[in-house]
Amino acid sequence: MSVLPLVFTSGWASGINAYAVVLLLGIFGATGLTDEVPESLQRTDVLIVAGVLFLCEAVADKIPFVDSIWDSVHTVIRPVSGAAVGALLAGQSGSLSDIAAGAIGGSTALASHFVKAGTRMAINTSPEPFSNIVASTAEDLGVGVIVTFAMFNPEAAAIIAAVLLAAGLALLIFLWSRIRRFLRRRAQRHEEKRLAAEAREATGAPPPR
């Protein structure tokens, strides 16, 4: 059986929560639910690290502005994780070359990461924190459900992931005006802080407490 649908789905999910993907796949492989998962993802130390980082993301991802900082840090981590997981899955099955699987997993993860990060920027233009919590919870549940579904029906899961990715990209284009406003507001705050610091330095005033 071709591993391509699972590679695509894991890549999409990695762009949203890479640690959840590694944790879920490792658990599925360790419990014998599937033989598609390589042993390197089933190691106890890998599962522990993935679990701890997943908990860290679960908290950071629900705090306004902290979630955008977290996303910025993971602009490289998520695509690399998607590529690595894809290559490992391909190496386990032998039905797809490691390079091709890495490219598919990494590029899909990068696309879904941009959707997640861009959507969060738009959400952060709103002053209330509840939308962040709702969005983060929905993302975590979505990743868990679709990755689990991919274990039993990888083709259908890949189709769902592709539809969600396309819908997310369309939404990102629609929300671009809010994202630009968020970036402009953040740049203005940074500039105001810089000017205030220069003014204090020029007058010899002490910094604010």
PDB file of all heavy atoms in Angstrom, residues 156-184:
ATOM      1  N   ALA A 156      -8.893   8.659   2.626  1.00  0.00           N
ATOM      2  CA  ALA A 156      -9.954   9.596   3.006  1.00  0.00           C
ATOM      3  C   ALA A 156      -9.409  10.710   3.892  1.00  0.00           C
ATOM      4  O   ALA A 156      -9.798  11.876   3.754  1.00  0.00           O
ATOM      5  CB  ALA A 156     -11.085   8.856   3.724  1.00  0.00           C
ATOM      6  N   ALA A 157      -8.501  10.367   4.801  1.00  0.00           N
ATOM      7  CA  ALA A 157      -7.900  11.375   5.675  1.00  0.00           C
ATOM      8  C   ALA A 157      -7.097  12.384   4.862  1.00  0.00           C
ATOM      9  O   ALA A 157      -7.118  13.593   5.153  1.00  0.00           O
ATOM     10  CB  ALA A 157      -7.007  10.705   6.715  1.00  0.00           C
ATOM     11  N   ALA A 158      -6.390  11.917   3.840  1.00  0.00           N
ATOM     12  CA  ALA A 158      -5.605  12.818   2.993  1.00  0.00           C
ATOM     13  C   ALA A 158      -6.517  13.772   2.228  1.00  0.00           C
ATOM     14  O   ALA A 158      -6.193  14.954   2.053  1.00  0.00           O
ATOM     15  CB  ALA A 158      -4.743  12.014   2.024  1.00  0.00           C
ATOM     16  N   ILE A 159      -7.661  13.284   1.777  1.00  0.00           N
ATOM     17  CA  ILE A 159      -8.614  14.147   1.078  1.00  0.00           C
ATOM     18  C   ILE A 159      -9.144  15.228   2.011  1.00  0.00           C
ATOM     19  O   ILE A 159      -9.235  16.412   1.651  1.00  0.00           O
ATOM     20  CB  ILE A 159      -9.778  13.307   0.510  1.00  0.00           C
ATOM     21  CG1 ILE A 159      -9.271  12.395  -0.611  1.00  0.00           C
ATOM     22  CG2 ILE A 159     -10.890  14.217  -0.009  1.00  0.00           C
ATOM     23  CD1 ILE A 159     -10.311  11.414  -1.121  1.00  0.00           C
ATOM     24  N   ILE A 160      -9.474  14.839   3.237  1.00  0.00           N
ATOM     25  CA  ILE A 160      -9.953  15.814   4.223  1.00  0.00           C
ATOM     26  C   ILE A 160      -8.871  16.849   4.516  1.00  0.00           C
ATOM     27  O   ILE A 160      -9.141  18.059   4.580  1.00  0.00           O
ATOM     28  CB  ILE A 160     -10.374  15.099   5.518  1.00  0.00           C
ATOM     29  CG1 ILE A 160     -11.595  14.204   5.263  1.00  0.00           C
ATOM     30  CG2 ILE A 160     -10.696  16.116   6.619  1.00  0.00           C
ATOM     31  CD1 ILE A 160     -11.973  13.334   6.438  1.00  0.00           C
ATOM     32  N   ALA A 161      -7.632  16.385   4.695  1.00  0.00           N
ATOM     33  CA  ALA A 161      -6.527  17.301   4.960  1.00  0.00           C
ATOM     34  C   ALA A 161      -6.325  18.267   3.793  1.00  0.00           C
ATOM     35  O   ALA A 161      -6.061  19.458   3.998  1.00  0.00           O
ATOM     36  CB  ALA A 161      -5.243  16.512   5.228  1.00  0.00           C
ATOM     37  N   ALA A 162      -6.452  17.762   2.563  1.00  0.00           N
ATOM     38  CA  ALA A 162      -6.289  18.621   1.386  1.00  0.00           C
ATOM     39  C   ALA A 162      -7.385  19.679   1.322  1.00  0.00           C
ATOM     40  O   ALA A 162      -7.119  20.849   1.005  1.00  0.00           O
ATOM     41  CB  ALA A 162      -6.304  17.770   0.114  1.00  0.00           C
ATOM     42  N   VAL A 163      -8.622  19.284   1.634  1.00  0.00           N
ATOM     43  CA  VAL A 163      -9.734  20.245   1.641  1.00  0.00           C
ATOM     44  C   VAL A 163      -9.528  21.303   2.712  1.00  0.00           C
ATOM     45  O   VAL A 163      -9.740  22.505   2.484  1.00  0.00           O
ATOM     46  CB  VAL A 163     -11.074  19.504   1.851  1.00  0.00           C
ATOM     47  CG1 VAL A 163     -12.210  20.498   2.087  1.00  0.00           C
ATOM     48  CG2 VAL A 163     -11.395  18.623   0.646  1.00  0.00           C
ATOM     49  N   LEU A 164      -9.111  20.881   3.904  1.00  0.00           N
ATOM     50  CA  LEU A 164      -8.866  21.825   4.991  1.00  0.00           C
ATOM     51  C   LEU A 164      -7.721  22.773   4.654  1.00  0.00           C
ATOM     52  O   LEU A 164      -7.775  23.972   4.974  1.00  0.00           O
ATOM     53  CB  LEU A 164      -8.557  21.066   6.282  1.00  0.00           C
ATOM     54  CG  LEU A 164      -9.735  20.306   6.910  1.00  0.00           C
ATOM     55  CD1 LEU A 164      -9.262  19.488   8.102  1.00  0.00           C
ATOM     56  CD2 LEU A 164     -10.825  21.280   7.327  1.00  0.00           C
ATOM     57  N   LEU A 165      -6.682  22.249   3.992  1.00  0.00           N
ATOM     58  CA  LEU A 165      -5.558  23.098   3.608  1.00  0.00           C
ATOM     59  C   LEU A 165      -5.997  24.133   2.578  1.00  0.00           C
ATOM     60  O   LEU A 165      -5.651  25.317   2.691  1.00  0.00           O
ATOM     61  CB  LEU A 165      -4.432  22.245   3.047  1.00  0.00           C
ATOM     62  CG  LEU A 165      -3.164  22.994   2.590  1.00  0.00           C
ATOM     63  CD1 LEU A 165      -2.569  23.792   3.750  1.00  0.00           C
ATOM     64  CD2 LEU A 165      -2.135  22.011   2.036  1.00  0.00           C
ATOM     65  N   ALA A 166      -6.771  23.709   1.592  1.00  0.00           N
ATOM     66  CA  ALA A 166      -7.253  24.637   0.571  1.00  0.00           C
ATOM     67  C   ALA A 166      -8.171  25.691   1.184  1.00  0.00           C
ATOM     68  O   ALA A 166      -8.073  26.886   0.864  1.00  0.00           O
ATOM     69  CB  ALA A 166      -7.983  23.869  -0.530  1.00  0.00           C
ATOM     70  N   ALA A 167      -9.060  25.262   2.090  1.00  0.00           N
ATOM     71  CA  ALA A 167      -9.958  26.201   2.756  1.00  0.00           C
ATOM     72  C   ALA A 167      -9.174  27.179   3.626  1.00  0.00           C
ATOM     73  O   ALA A 167      -9.493  28.373   3.694  1.00  0.00           O
ATOM     74  CB  ALA A 167     -10.977  25.440   3.600  1.00  0.00           C
ATOM     75  N   GLY A 168      -8.134  26.673   4.286  1.00  0.00           N
ATOM     76  CA  GLY A 168      -7.307  27.536   5.118  1.00  0.00           C
ATOM     77  C   GLY A 168      -6.571  28.579   4.310  1.00  0.00           C
ATOM     78  O   GLY A 168      -6.464  29.751   4.723  1.00  0.00           O
ATOM     79  N   LEU A 169      -6.049  28.192   3.161  1.00  0.00           N
ATOM     80  CA  LEU A 169      -5.360  29.147   2.294  1.00  0.00           C
ATOM     81  C   LEU A 169      -6.324  30.212   1.785  1.00  0.00           C
ATOM     82  O   LEU A 169      -5.970  31.399   1.714  1.00  0.00           O
ATOM     83  CB  LEU A 169      -4.707  28.411   1.122  1.00  0.00           C
ATOM     84  CG  LEU A 169      -3.511  27.515   1.492  1.00  0.00           C
ATOM     85  CD1 LEU A 169      -3.075  26.679   0.287  1.00  0.00           C
ATOM     86  CD2 LEU A 169      -2.330  28.348   2.001  1.00  0.00           C
ATOM     87  N   ALA A 170      -7.541  29.789   1.437  1.00  0.00           N
ATOM     88  CA  ALA A 170      -8.549  30.755   0.996  1.00  0.00           C
ATOM     89  C   ALA A 170      -8.902  31.720   2.126  1.00  0.00           C
ATOM     90  O   ALA A 170      -9.037  32.931   1.912  1.00  0.00           O
ATOM     91  CB  ALA A 170      -9.797  30.023   0.511  1.00  0.00           C
ATOM     92  N   LEU A 171      -9.047  31.200   3.339  1.00  0.00           N
ATOM     93  CA  LEU A 171      -9.342  32.041   4.498  1.00  0.00           C
ATOM     94  C   LEU A 171      -8.195  33.003   4.774  1.00  0.00           C
ATOM     95  O   LEU A 171      -8.419  34.172   5.135  1.00  0.00           O
ATOM     96  CB  LEU A 171      -9.601  31.160   5.727  1.00  0.00           C
ATOM     97  CG  LEU A 171      -9.891  31.894   7.043  1.00  0.00           C
ATOM     98  CD1 LEU A 171     -11.169  32.704   6.929  1.00  0.00           C
ATOM     99  CD2 LEU A 171      -9.994  30.900   8.195  1.00  0.00           C
ATOM    100  N   LEU A 172      -6.981  32.525   4.598  1.00  0.00           N
ATOM    101  CA  LEU A 172      -5.813  33.366   4.838  1.00  0.00           C
ATOM    102  C   LEU A 172      -5.799  34.561   3.889  1.00  0.00           C
ATOM    103  O   LEU A 172      -5.490  35.689   4.288  1.00  0.00           O
ATOM    104  CB  LEU A 172      -4.531  32.541   4.654  1.00  0.00           C
ATOM    105  CG  LEU A 172      -3.217  33.208   5.040  1.00  0.00           C
ATOM    106  CD1 LEU A 172      -3.207  33.571   6.513  1.00  0.00           C
ATOM    107  CD2 LEU A 172      -2.047  32.286   4.721  1.00  0.00           C
ATOM    108  N   ILE A 173      -6.145  34.332   2.636  1.00  0.00           N
ATOM    109  CA  ILE A 173      -6.222  35.426   1.673  1.00  0.00           C
ATOM    110  C   ILE A 173      -7.312  36.418   2.088  1.00  0.00           C
ATOM    111  O   ILE A 173      -7.130  37.636   2.028  1.00  0.00           O
ATOM    112  CB  ILE A 173      -6.504  34.872   0.262  1.00  0.00           C
ATOM    113  CG1 ILE A 173      -5.317  34.034  -0.212  1.00  0.00           C
ATOM    114  CG2 ILE A 173      -6.783  36.003  -0.720  1.00  0.00           C
ATOM    115  CD1 ILE A 173      -5.563  33.292  -1.509  1.00  0.00           C
ATOM    116  N   PHE A 174      -8.443  35.888   2.557  1.00  0.00           N
ATOM    117  CA  PHE A 174      -9.552  36.739   2.978  1.00  0.00           C
ATOM    118  C   PHE A 174      -9.185  37.591   4.198  1.00  0.00           C
ATOM    119  O   PHE A 174      -9.620  38.743   4.334  1.00  0.00           O
ATOM    120  CB  PHE A 174     -10.766  35.860   3.300  1.00  0.00           C
ATOM    121  CG  PHE A 174     -11.958  36.620   3.805  1.00  0.00           C
ATOM    122  CD1 PHE A 174     -12.739  37.360   2.936  1.00  0.00           C
ATOM    123  CD2 PHE A 174     -12.299  36.600   5.156  1.00  0.00           C
ATOM    124  CE1 PHE A 174     -13.841  38.066   3.400  1.00  0.00           C
ATOM    125  CE2 PHE A 174     -13.391  37.305   5.613  1.00  0.00           C
ATOM    126  CZ  PHE A 174     -14.163  38.040   4.739  1.00  0.00           C
ATOM    127  N   LEU A 175      -8.389  37.023   5.103  1.00  0.00           N
ATOM    128  CA  LEU A 175      -8.031  37.720   6.349  1.00  0.00           C
ATOM    129  C   LEU A 175      -6.776  38.565   6.233  1.00  0.00           C
ATOM    130  O   LEU A 175      -6.324  39.134   7.230  1.00  0.00           O
ATOM    131  CB  LEU A 175      -7.833  36.687   7.476  1.00  0.00           C
ATOM    132  CG  LEU A 175      -9.068  35.912   7.917  1.00  0.00           C
ATOM    133  CD1 LEU A 175      -8.676  34.856   8.936  1.00  0.00           C
ATOM    134  CD2 LEU A 175     -10.125  36.833   8.496  1.00  0.00           C
ATOM    135  N   TRP A 176      -6.222  38.658   5.035  1.00  0.00           N
ATOM    136  CA  TRP A 176      -4.924  39.325   4.892  1.00  0.00           C
ATOM    137  C   TRP A 176      -4.952  40.770   5.366  1.00  0.00           C
ATOM    138  O   TRP A 176      -3.977  41.279   5.907  1.00  0.00           O
ATOM    139  CB  TRP A 176      -4.452  39.259   3.452  1.00  0.00           C
ATOM    140  CG  TRP A 176      -3.098  39.873   3.245  1.00  0.00           C
ATOM    141  CD1 TRP A 176      -2.784  40.932   2.454  1.00  0.00           C
ATOM    142  CD2 TRP A 176      -1.866  39.469   3.860  1.00  0.00           C
ATOM    143  NE1 TRP A 176      -1.442  41.207   2.531  1.00  0.00           N
ATOM    144  CE2 TRP A 176      -0.859  40.328   3.395  1.00  0.00           C
ATOM    145  CE3 TRP A 176      -1.536  38.460   4.773  1.00  0.00           C
ATOM    146  CZ2 TRP A 176       0.466  40.206   3.797  1.00  0.00           C
ATOM    147  CZ3 TRP A 176      -0.212  38.347   5.185  1.00  0.00           C
ATOM    148  CH2 TRP A 176       0.766  39.207   4.692  1.00  0.00           C
ATOM    149  N   SER A 177      -6.088  41.463   5.186  1.00  0.00           N
ATOM    150  CA  SER A 177      -6.171  42.858   5.622  1.00  0.00           C
ATOM    151  C   SER A 177      -6.028  42.964   7.137  1.00  0.00           C
ATOM    152  O   SER A 177      -5.351  43.865   7.648  1.00  0.00           O
ATOM    153  CB  SER A 177      -7.493  43.476   5.173  1.00  0.00           C
ATOM    154  OG  SER A 177      -8.593  42.783   5.735  1.00  0.00           O
ATOM    155  N   ARG A 178      -6.624  42.012   7.871  1.00  0.00           N
ATOM    156  CA  ARG A 178      -6.489  42.026   9.328  1.00  0.00           C
ATOM    157  C   ARG A 178      -5.061  41.681   9.748  1.00  0.00           C
ATOM    158  O   ARG A 178      -4.542  42.218  10.725  1.00  0.00           O
ATOM    159  CB  ARG A 178      -7.465  41.028   9.964  1.00  0.00           C
ATOM    160  CG  ARG A 178      -8.921  41.380   9.776  1.00  0.00           C
ATOM    161  CD  ARG A 178      -9.811  40.526  10.640  1.00  0.00           C
ATOM    162  NE  ARG A 178      -9.636  40.831  12.063  1.00  0.00           N
ATOM    163  CZ  ARG A 178     -10.322  40.239  13.026  1.00  0.00           C
ATOM    164  NH1 ARG A 178     -11.222  39.301  12.727  1.00  0.00           N
ATOM    165  NH2 ARG A 178     -10.119  40.561  14.293  1.00  0.00           N
ATOM    166  N   ILE A 179      -4.440  40.787   9.008  1.00  0.00           N
ATOM    167  CA  ILE A 179      -3.064  40.414   9.327  1.00  0.00           C
ATOM    168  C   ILE A 179      -2.133  41.607   9.133  1.00  0.00           C
ATOM    169  O   ILE A 179      -1.261  41.878   9.965  1.00  0.00           O
ATOM    170  CB  ILE A 179      -2.612  39.234   8.447  1.00  0.00           C
ATOM    171  CG1 ILE A 179      -3.449  37.992   8.779  1.00  0.00           C
ATOM    172  CG2 ILE A 179      -1.129  38.935   8.645  1.00  0.00           C
ATOM    173  CD1 ILE A 179      -3.227  36.844   7.835  1.00  0.00           C
ATOM    174  N   ARG A 180      -2.318  42.347   8.040  1.00  0.00           N
ATOM    175  CA  ARG A 180      -1.484  43.528   7.808  1.00  0.00           C
ATOM    176  C   ARG A 180      -1.696  44.568   8.899  1.00  0.00           C
ATOM    177  O   ARG A 180      -0.748  45.229   9.327  1.00  0.00           O
ATOM    178  CB  ARG A 180      -1.801  44.134   6.439  1.00  0.00           C
ATOM    179  CG  ARG A 180      -1.248  43.345   5.269  1.00  0.00           C
ATOM    180  CD  ARG A 180      -1.413  44.103   3.975  1.00  0.00           C
ATOM    181  NE  ARG A 180      -2.818  44.365   3.701  1.00  0.00           N
ATOM    182  CZ  ARG A 180      -3.245  45.082   2.673  1.00  0.00           C
ATOM    183  NH1 ARG A 180      -2.377  45.627   1.824  1.00  0.00           N
ATOM    184  NH2 ARG A 180      -4.538  45.265   2.467  1.00  0.00           N
ATOM    185  N   ARG A 181      -2.942  44.720   9.366  1.00  0.00           N
ATOM    186  CA  ARG A 181      -3.222  45.658  10.441  1.00  0.00           C
ATOM    187  C   ARG A 181      -2.522  45.241  11.724  1.00  0.00           C
ATOM    188  O   ARG A 181      -1.990  46.075  12.465  1.00  0.00           O
ATOM    189  CB  ARG A 181      -4.743  45.755  10.652  1.00  0.00           C
ATOM    190  CG  ARG A 181      -5.151  46.828  11.637  1.00  0.00           C
ATOM    191  CD  ARG A 181      -6.613  47.208  11.487  1.00  0.00           C
ATOM    192  NE  ARG A 181      -7.498  46.072  11.733  1.00  0.00           N
ATOM    193  CZ  ARG A 181      -8.242  45.498  10.813  1.00  0.00           C
ATOM    194  NH1 ARG A 181      -8.182  45.904   9.560  1.00  0.00           N
ATOM    195  NH2 ARG A 181      -9.042  44.480  11.126  1.00  0.00           N
ATOM    196  N   PHE A 182      -2.507  43.936  11.996  1.00  0.00           N
ATOM    197  CA  PHE A 182      -1.811  43.415  13.178  1.00  0.00           C
ATOM    198  C   PHE A 182      -0.315  43.693  13.096  1.00  0.00           C
ATOM    199  O   PHE A 182       0.306  44.161  14.064  1.00  0.00           O
ATOM    200  CB  PHE A 182      -2.053  41.908  13.294  1.00  0.00           C
ATOM    201  CG  PHE A 182      -1.153  41.213  14.273  1.00  0.00           C
ATOM    202  CD1 PHE A 182      -1.362  41.320  15.632  1.00  0.00           C
ATOM    203  CD2 PHE A 182      -0.076  40.448  13.830  1.00  0.00           C
ATOM    204  CE1 PHE A 182      -0.541  40.674  16.534  1.00  0.00           C
ATOM    205  CE2 PHE A 182       0.749  39.808  14.719  1.00  0.00           C
ATOM    206  CZ  PHE A 182       0.517  39.918  16.076  1.00  0.00           C
ATOM    207  N   LEU A 183       0.280  43.435  11.943  1.00  0.00           N
ATOM    208  CA  LEU A 183       1.714  43.680  11.773  1.00  0.00           C
ATOM    209  C   LEU A 183       2.029  45.168  11.881  1.00  0.00           C
ATOM    210  O   LEU A 183       3.052  45.549  12.470  1.00  0.00           O
ATOM    211  CB  LEU A 183       2.175  43.136  10.417  1.00  0.00           C
ATOM    212  CG  LEU A 183       2.103  41.616  10.240  1.00  0.00           C
ATOM    213  CD1 LEU A 183       2.448  41.231   8.812  1.00  0.00           C
ATOM    214  CD2 LEU A 183       3.049  40.918  11.212  1.00  0.00           C
ATOM    215  N   ARG A 184       1.169  46.007  11.310  1.00  0.00           N
ATOM    216  CA  ARG A 184       1.392  47.452  11.381  1.00  0.00           C
ATOM    217  C   ARG A 184       1.288  47.951  12.819  1.00  0.00           C
ATOM    218  O   ARG A 184       2.083  48.789  13.267  1.00  0.00           O
ATOM    219  CB  ARG A 184       0.381  48.171  10.489  1.00  0.00           C
ATOM    220  CG  ARG A 184       0.603  49.666  10.383  1.00  0.00           C
ATOM    221  CD  ARG A 184      -0.160  50.279   9.216  1.00  0.00           C
ATOM    222  NE  ARG A 184      -1.591  49.980   9.294  1.00  0.00           N
ATOM    223  CZ  ARG A 184      -2.234  49.183   8.452  1.00  0.00           C
ATOM    224  NH1 ARG A 184      -1.571  48.586   7.468  1.00  0.00           N
ATOM    225  NH2 ARG A 184      -3.533  48.975   8.583  1.00  0.00           N
TER     226      ARG A 184
END
